Amino acid sequence: MKKLFGYSFVSVSSGDGYYYIISEKYFYLWILWFVIVAAALLIYLFWYLYMKRKIMRHSVEREVRRQEVGGRAVKIYENDKVSGPCTIGWLRPGILLPVREYKETEMEWIRLHEMTHIRHRDILWKLLCILACILHWYNPFAWILLYQYGKMSEYYCDEKCMEGRSMEERWNTDEKWYI
């Protein structure tokens, strides 16, 4: 560390002969930021892998036809711990359903909606939003981005599923649910 104009500075070599001089307090803030980001990334990665393993251990593959996305088969699983249909997995996504009986039309709508998430790679985009939150953990707008992306991806998939459908198809009078 060098003293210059009464302030302490740290010289950081760049490898090509140049030195970048930054203030000592900013140097320690950068180290603190890096440690927090590295810890958050590790915690998120271990949490995700732990939860996925725990969920998949209690899931049963449904005996329905598999869906194809990009030449890959997407499996459909049932689990009594989930409250609603969702997509799980970054590299090999699958559809996770609560354990109950589904009518054929309801199952088709669920399948169509979740396959739209998989086709548009919503899991990877949400992962990027989570990485933005980790890198900008101090910025509330990063957290708002994550929240808004979750809502908007659901709205987008609903809209894509409803494209070209009649109002009778959207409103199911037997089940009393509207898409």
Side-chain angles (χ1 to χ4, degrees):
M1 277 187 265
K2 297 180 181 180
K3 284 267 193 185
L4 187 62
F5 305 115
Y7 295 102
S8 297
F9 287 91
V10 177
S11 299
V12 181
S13 173
S14 67
D16 58 356
Y18 292 102
Y19 289 90
Y20 297 97
I21 300 173
I22 58 174
S23 171
E24 182 181 3
K25 68 178 179 180
Y26 293 125
F27 179 72
Y28 292 124
L29 282 175
W30 276 106
I31 289 175
L32 177 65
W33 176 85
F34 181 76
V35 167
I36 290 172
V37 167
L41 281 171
L42 287 174
I43 288 169
Y44 176 75
L45 179 66
F46 285 121
W47 174 83
Y48 175 80
L49 293 174
Y50 170 75
M51 290 305 291
K52 183 177 179 191
R53 185 174 186 198
K54 187 176 179 179
I55 288 170
M56 295 311 287
R57 188 177 319 140
H58 299 290
S59 298
V60 177
E61 190 173 347
R62 266 182 83 99
E63 295 297 325
V64 296
R65 62 189 169 102
R66 293 182 180 180
Q67 299 290 313
E68 292 283 330
V69 173
R72 282 189 162 170
V74 175
K75 295 180 182 178
I76 300 175
Y77 300 96
E78 281 188 339
N79 189 317
D80 59 349
K81 306 284 189 221
V82 296
S83 59
C86 62
T87 305
I88 188 169
W90 294 330
L91 300 175
R92 282 178 268 131
I95 298 172
L96 199 55
L97 301 173
V99 177
R100 70 178 184 87
E101 289 296 319
Y102 295 95
K103 296 195 174 178
E104 188 59 38
T105 57
E106 184 182 15
M107 189 63 188
E108 195 58 40
W109 284 116
I110 291 170
R111 196 179 296 135
L112 182 62
H113 178 90
E114 296 303 326
M115 291 303 287
T116 305
H117 279 299
I118 293 171
R119 264 188 234 101
H120 291 119
R121 294 178 176 83
D122 283 338
I123 295 173
L124 293 176
W125 288 110
K126 194 160 195 174
L127 174 63
L128 286 175
C129 290
I130 290 169
L131 289 175
C133 286
I134 290 172
L135 292 174
H136 297 275
W137 52 269
Y138 52 86
N139 187 349
F141 292 112
W143 297 97
I144 292 170
L145 167 77
L146 177 63
Y147 174 73
Q148 288 297 320
Y149 180 76
K151 284 177 39 176
M152 289 298 120
S153 68
E154 289 300 322
Y155 292 149
Y156 179 76
C157 287
D158 287 342
E159 189 66 32
K160 285 303 262 185
C161 291
M162 293 297 107
E163 255 179 19
R165 307 283 178 165
S166 68
M167 199 55 137
E168 288 79 29
E169 287 178 298
R170 292 179 185 205
W171 182 261
N172 187 340
T173 54
D174 298 335
E175 306 275 331
K176 300 289 188 235
W177 48 272
Y178 176 76
I179 298 181

